Structure formats: C-alpha cells, structure tokens
Amino acid sequence: MSRALPKYNKRRVAIIGGVAAVALSGAVIAGSALAGETSKNTNSQAARTKASPGTVSCPAVAPSLPAIPASAKAEVDRNLALLDTQIAEANKRLVDTVGQGGANFAQNAIVGPLKDKRVATINRIATAIGRTAAKPQGLDSLAACTLNAGGAAGGGAAASPSASPTQQAGGNTGNTGNTGSTNAAGTVSCPAVAPSLPAIPASAKAEVDRNLALLDTQIAEANKRLVDTVGQGGANFAQNAIVGPLKDKRVATINRIATAIGRTAAKPQGLDSLAACTLNK
C-alpha cells in the first residue's frame, strides 16, 4: 500500500499539470484573439474618424427662366422649391451614409440620382411655362450637380468603414481637442422664398432672379463653411458663426427682392420670416 502511493501521487501530479497546461494554452489563445480583435477595432475606429460628408452644389435654375406666365407661376414656384428640397435631402443623405460603399459611392448613389430628379423637376418647370408661352430650351444643362469638400470625391471618405454620427467630422485633421470636434459638419436648411412671392413685374424680374440665385449661393457657402470649420470653436460655434450671419445675409437679400417688386407693384410684406435657417445634423 505504501509502495503504490508514490506512483498514485505521481500520476495525480501529471494529470493536474496537463489540465493546467491546457487551461493556460486556452487562455493564451483567447488572449491573442482578443488582442487581435481589439487591434482590428482600433484600426476600424481610426479609419472611421477620417470620414467627412461633403455637400452637393447645383446650378440655380430660376435665373435662367424666361418671364413666367401668371397661369404657370404656382407650378413653377412649387418645382423651384422642390429643387431646393432635393438638394437638402441629398446633403442629409451624404451625412447619413458617410463612409459607406466604395470610392464612388456618393457620386453613384446620391449625386447621380439627384441629377435624374432635377431633370424631371426642371422639365416640369419648362412644360408649365410652355403651356401658355414659349417653352424654355436647354434647361437640362442645369441638372447636374457636383460634390464639394469631403464625401467620396477624393476617394478617402467613402472607402472607410461605416462611421457613427460622432465620427463623421474627421475631415479637418487640424481641428482637434475642441468641443465641436465630435460633431458632423451638418447642413443648413432654409425656407424657400420663391413660392411666397407675388406676381413679379417684368421690370423687376432680372433683379429678383439674381437675388433668388444669391440666396442659393449663400446656402451653398454656409454648407461649405460648415465642412471647412468642422470641429472648431465651442458647442455653439456653427450657430453663432455661420447660421446666425447667414440669416443676416438672407434678410438683406430678401429685402432687396421685396424692394425690387415694390417699385412697380405692391411691396410684399412679411418675407423676413423666411430668413432664419436651421442647422441639421
């Protein structure tokens, strides 16, 4: 009995040692897998922070229209407003899908389809005018839009993995450490002015059209500045430095439109209520 005991103890030690070795191997394997996963996640997160949505820039249509017959004005104004809505929707989708798809995702999935929508809308405008006047030609040339700043135009943002809303603003690599650095660029959304205008006298049309186009330019410039300055300043930087001044510019432009109409017709009132814009995230 006393002779068998050492052999039993040796066997017991060998079994325990084997189990410990298996457990240790499992821990090493699990640790290696976890480290690999952590590294992968870290790399993915680093890639995602480089995404920046960009904005679309489209030619203004109103300045290229001829005199609009009174019978067509409501339909024309409705479709001009729709063109603005389509741009706003495209800009929103650029933010919502930042980092998705390949290098040409934004161009193929957003900017291209936007052109098709604009072709149909512009054609409705031309058809409405053509019912009681000469149908304007060549307006389709205004349908194509371009992708500005960030987005997939440079190939960097769209090639990155999908980004969360707090990771979409990494386009400006020089802006770090600020409160706004975790926010996406966003876009401004402004009320359409054309649908609220009365019949425009022929003598005022050129000036009104010029200022309607300027309103579009002001929005495009504000959207570009949102991208260029993403991450700068504090939490209210975009509101105070971009959206607020945009309202002031719009007030002046809208007042010029009302004044131009008022020279030969009743001056429209209350248009200042259309000056304020909102910041979309």
Side-chain angles (χ1 to χ4, degrees):
M1 185 72 178
S2 58
R3 294 178 181 176
L5 185 57
K7 294 182 180 180
Y8 171 77
N9 288 338
K10 289 179 182 179
R11 189 180 305 114
R12 184 180 177 189
V13 169
I15 293 172
I16 293 173
V19 171
V22 171
L24 180 59
S25 299
V28 170
I29 293 171
S32 300
L34 182 59
E37 184 65 24
T38 301
S39 175
K40 180 179 178 182
N41 289 341
T42 301
N43 292 338
S44 297
Q45 184 175 2
R48 285 198 295 268
T49 59
K50 296 178 182 178
S52 179
T55 57
V56 291
S57 178
C58 307
V61 174
S64 297
L65 298 181
I68 301 171
S71 59
K73 187 174 184 303
E75 186 172 357
V76 170
D77 287 346
R78 184 166 59 252
N79 281 286
L80 286 173
L82 180 57
L83 290 172
D84 290 337
T85 300
Q86 290 165 349
I87 293 173
E89 289 174 345
N91 281 328
K92 183 178 185 301
R93 193 163 179 231
L94 283 170
V95 173
D96 292 343
T97 62
V98 66
Q100 293 184 15
N104 297 317
F105 174 83
Q107 185 65 42
N108 296 337
I110 299 175
V111 182
L114 174 60
K115 177 182 177 181
D116 297 335
K117 292 179 182 178
R118 284 173 59 86
V119 166
T121 306
I122 290 170
N123 282 342
R124 287 196 295 271
I125 290 173
T127 299
I129 295 172
R131 291 193 186 102
T132 52
K135 183 177 180 179
Q137 303 297 319
L139 294 180
D140 283 357
S141 63
L142 304 174
C145 302
T146 56
L147 180 61
N148 302 323
S160 303
S162 179
S164 68
T166 58
Q167 296 168 330
Q168 293 171 353
N172 287 347
T173 55
N175 298 326
T176 58
N178 297 317
T179 303
S181 63
T182 58
N183 294 330
T187 57
V188 292
S189 178
C190 308
V193 174
S196 297
L197 299 180
I200 302 171
S203 59
K205 186 174 185 304
E207 186 172 357
V208 169
D209 286 346
R210 184 166 59 250
N211 282 286
L212 286 173
L214 180 57
L215 290 172
D216 290 336
T217 299
Q218 291 165 350
I219 293 173
E221 289 173 346
N223 281 329
K224 184 177 186 302
R225 194 165 178 226
L226 283 170
V227 173
D228 292 343
T229 62
V230 66
Q232 293 184 14
N236 297 317
F237 174 83
Q239 185 66 41
N240 296 336
I242 300 176
V243 181
L246 175 59
K247 177 182 177 181
D248 297 335
K249 292 178 183 179
R250 283 173 59 85
V251 165
T253 306
I254 290 170
N255 282 340
R256 286 196 295 271
I257 291 174
T259 299
I261 295 172
R263 291 193 186 103
T264 53
K267 183 177 179 179
Q269 303 297 316
L271 294 180
D272 282 358
S273 64
L274 304 174
C277 302
T278 56
L279 179 60
N280 304 319
K281 287 293 187 180

